[in-house]
């Protein structure tokens, strides 16, 4: 008998890699935070003696879900301003509220709420883009969730930094330097959009990102208005400007990409640019629908993001999966487009790849970190089960997520958070609402 | 002190009628199955002595959700055939499976699963269209849920009836006659579609429906192919044919209506035809998106339906609400279209109106049946709360539904079904899956 830390038995396992097989009555063995074996349940009983054995009949085990784009702290603004178009929503609701309220304390409380919500929803890894990224990094590290902290770069003065140069300097000191070689926290840069970052700032950013060997993510071609305004101001579409600035390469994650020309899709494919598709945010803000099937046909890597809770309004990759599958079918006029198997990859390994983590997470394979999500299918609305892959994509809600492990740590155990106090987190959020709503 | 059966206290109440007000810390008094009062919580304590007092802090009380279109028994086929276009899905997957398997027993077990799932999801009233409607009626009456049994009319022989005339005769005897004046069960006719019902059968149907003073619901303009095939066969669009047959009037509920000409929308408005909008089914089968904002602008009553679980794949009106809001915004290129308040009406009073029940249910008003749904907003992903209407539409999942009353009977109590055994229901569904999958 070989010793291991944890042995998880589930009725079904969807490892995602090396292929789209469905495993029945298998076990996953975890040691020192990593997956060391995926094997038949009967064999596992003979081979391993585990410190902790977790039995999950009627459950399906999948790689932890990856949320490639959010603004975690904005959970505090959830539902503050609905049913408004992107530019009005930003200018009349979000930016004034942020100017008045954003602080290290709000970011701490909002990020904690977001992390608790995401763990509850089976998300084991998220990429966050917001002010006070050092606070978000600390909150993620404390909660033991995996995070890619995308430190913001923006030209105007904010509560966090005075200028783009100040953003770069603070981010380098407080996040990029501090979390080198951290097992859970990594970082990249997030220039907000081409509308809010000058050529000079982009040039500085490029130098610093190269020095630190860091990726860049940016909101790109989210709304038609964004493109029109850029053309009027610079004569260039935002993506053209990024090309001229030398920022288009395999370390670029382009968020949204609702409006793309065929030539831009070709350029994405040629350069290896990845896309963070945020379908519900794009629908709710009436931005449109990203051409995901066309991107996939061109071999562009497309991952999923929730966007922030102020637009979306929940941090729920399972919900994004279902929406992404459904709208792609109508957009392509083809119900066979984006079947359950493709969506499962998009929410796991393709998300990991978009964040530069595919060698470490995104599938259930020996050697990778044990970032796992276990979903209870023994619910009225998920029964009967012809194919668990279909049930996960087309029936499962975040409240069916029973267990989550990140690097082998059992962070959600039968629906209960083990390392966070949900009640405290909610009370803090309610206190912020009282203050904000009172104005 | 006045006696009443039940007094429900909730932090918020959205009565829907007489207007879109939000009530805070109110109570709803129920007696003999009906709402007798909606009043301030402090006043309620002084005025009523109740047999049962239900306290629901952090919850919002709304009228029971109305599902205007489903095929309940098809829950047995949930996830059997995904990612296929409508016509292929029907001809290659659903119809052959139905031919092989549909029976009174399958309908009983499938309808029970559907009812349990719907109650769990806050649906208090559904319209069902399937074979063996007498079995569905019995299952609904046994479960004490409100149902409009839409008895099928179809030309070809099925397990239930030999012909359209046989459908009409059986339906009249077994459903329409039997449930006259039943407090929960009413009925209408459901010719399947213009493709599957002859002119003669429509003529007979019209006579019988007039005799019984019954509504008619029909799948209409669901796919472009349906319209093309009708034009090729008859020279008429399906709606034109219904007009010629004299079936277009205020008792017609047209299901789907993805493809409508402006002149057809005008004709709907002029005749008072209602629409059952099933957004997720239409998306998943790649049918398209019904022009809901345009229908509403024309003053057509639009209600929501889940369609059957074989296409959709869950009977979840909360999910349909969110999807309907989001796709309408993108379709109209206007994020202000279909705000949370409109969607709440669509899922309640407008659904009741589409089923001819608006005088009895669909709002929280004294005199109506106490069909109520109580949703727990004390969840990570629904916090903080600026406006509970937004939280219901944009954050709530069916598993947050805590309580359901139908005609005053407490059918779901803190998430547990009181009149059905979920485990038994699931076991029966699993037995069917084993038989069907074994072939």
């Amino acid at each position: 008998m070989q010793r291991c830390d944890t042995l998880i038995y589930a009725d079904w396992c969807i490892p995602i890699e090396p292929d789209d097989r469905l495993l029945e009555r298998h076990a996953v063995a975890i040691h020192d935070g990593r997956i060391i074996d995926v094997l038949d349940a009967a064999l596992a009983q003979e081979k391993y003696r585990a410190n902790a054995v977790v039995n999950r009949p009627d459950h399906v085990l999948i790689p932890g879900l990856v949320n490639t784009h959010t603004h975690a702290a904005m959970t505090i603004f959830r539902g503050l301003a609905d049913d408004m178009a992107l530019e009005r929503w930003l200018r009349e609701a979000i930016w004034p509220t942020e100017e008045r309220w954003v602080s290290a304390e709000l970011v701490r409380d909002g990020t904690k709420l977001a992390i608790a919500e995401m763990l509850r929803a089976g998300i084991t890894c998220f990429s966050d883009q917001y002010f006070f990224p050092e606070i978000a990094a600390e909150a993620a590290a404390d909660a033991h969730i995996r995070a890619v902290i995308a430190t913001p770069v923006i030209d105007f003065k904010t509560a966090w930094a005075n200028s783009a140069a100040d953003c770069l300097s603070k981010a380098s000191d407080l996040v990029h330097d501090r979390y080198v070689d951290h097992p859970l926290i990594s970082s990249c840069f997030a220039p907000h959009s081409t509308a809010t970052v000058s050529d000079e700032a982009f040039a500085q950013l490029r130098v610093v990102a190269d020095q630190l060997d860091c990726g860049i993510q940016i909101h790109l071609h989210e709304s038609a208005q964004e493109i029109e305004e850029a053309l009027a101001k610079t004569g260039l579409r935002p993506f053209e400007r990024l090309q001229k600035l030398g920022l288009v390469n395999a370390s670029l994650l382009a968020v949204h990409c609702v409006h793309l020309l065929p030539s831009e899709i070709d350029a994405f494919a040629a350069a290896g640019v990845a896309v963070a598709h945020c379908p519900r945010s794009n629908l709710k803000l009436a931005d449109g629908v990203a051409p995901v099937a066309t991107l996939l046909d061109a071999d562009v890597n497309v991952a999923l993001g929730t966007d922030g809770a102020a637009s979306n309004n929940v941090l729920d990759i399972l919900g994004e999966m279902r929406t992404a599958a459904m709208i792609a079918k109508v957009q392509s006029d083809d119900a066979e487009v984006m079947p359950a198997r493709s969506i499962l990859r998009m929410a796991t390994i393709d998300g990991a790849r978009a964040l530069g983590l595919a060698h470490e997470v995104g599938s259930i394979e020996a050697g990778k970190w044990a970032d796992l999500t276990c979903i209870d299918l023994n619910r009225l609305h998920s029964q009967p089960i012809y194919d668990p892959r279909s049930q996960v994509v087309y029936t499962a809600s975040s409240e069916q997520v029973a267990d989550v492990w990140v690097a082998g740590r059992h962070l959600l155990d039968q629906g209960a958070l083990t390392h966070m106090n949900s009640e405290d987190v909610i009370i803090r959020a309610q206190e912020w609402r009282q203050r904000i709503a009172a104005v």
Side-chain angles (χ1 to χ4, degrees), chain A residues 16-219:
Chain A
I16 302 291
E17 295 280 6
D19 56 35
D20 67 357
R21 74 187 64 181
L22 172 71
L23 305 174
E24 297 194 37
R25 299 184 190 284
H26 268 59
V28 173
I30 302 173
H31 200 68
D32 283 344
R34 292 189 182 263
I35 297 161
I36 58 167
D37 212 342
V38 182
L39 72 172
D40 182 84
L43 293 179
Q45 277 193 308
E46 292 169 18
K47 183 170 175 186
Y48 290 103
R49 183 193 293 177
N51 295 329
V53 175
V54 178
N55 281 302
R56 294 290 182 264
D58 301 316
H59 289 56
V60 55
L61 194 65
I62 64 173
L65 299 169
V66 179
N67 182 3
T68 61
H69 183 67
T70 192
H71 311 283
M74 294 180 83
T75 49
I76 298 294
F77 308 137
R78 188 198 317 272
L80 177 70
D82 288 318
D83 308 317
M84 293 168 86
L86 174 64
E87 300 298 333
R88 209 188 126 210
W89 176 81
L90 281 173
R91 284 163 200 180
E92 295 181 18
I94 295 305
W95 287 344
T97 307
E98 287 183 327
E99 198 179 330
R100 172 85 174 76
W101 291 104
V102 168
S103 65
E105 291 66 39
L106 182 141
V107 169
R108 180 173 289 114
D109 292 337
T111 305
K112 280 187 181 177
L113 174 59
I115 290 171
E117 176 183 356
M118 287 192 279
L119 287 172
R120 185 67 196 78
I123 296 167
T124 55
C125 176
F126 71 108
S127 177
D128 188 48
Q129 170 177 351
Y130 208 61
F131 310 110
F132 298 96
E134 70 277 17
I135 304 287
E138 193 182 293
D142 284 352
H144 303 291
I145 192 171
R146 193 174 305 281
V148 178
I149 303 298
T151 59
V153 181
I154 197 160
D155 267 335
F156 49 78
K157 185 179 179 321
T158 67
W160 180 60
N162 294 316
S163 63
D166 196 23
C167 289
L168 288 170
S169 154
K170 280 193 162 138
S172 298
D173 290 348
L174 297 172
V175 180
H176 297 274
D177 288 353
R178 193 166 296 175
Y179 292 93
V180 174
D181 294 329
H182 192 284
L184 295 172
I185 311 298
S186 56
S187 59
C188 68
F189 285 102
H192 178 268
S193 70
T194 60
T196 52
V197 180
S198 67
D199 283 359
E200 295 67 40
F202 272 122
Q204 290 179 320
L205 165 63
R206 202 186 137 192
V207 172
V208 180
D210 283 350
Q211 280 170 351
L212 297 170
D213 193 21
C214 247
I216 290 176
Q217 62 172 253
I218 185 167
H219 296 117

Side-chain angles (χ1 to χ4, degrees), chain A residues 293-308:
Chain A
T294 312
L295 285 162
L296 293 179
D297 281 345
D299 272 331
V300 175
N301 182 33
V302 179
L304 286 172
T306 57
D307 209 353

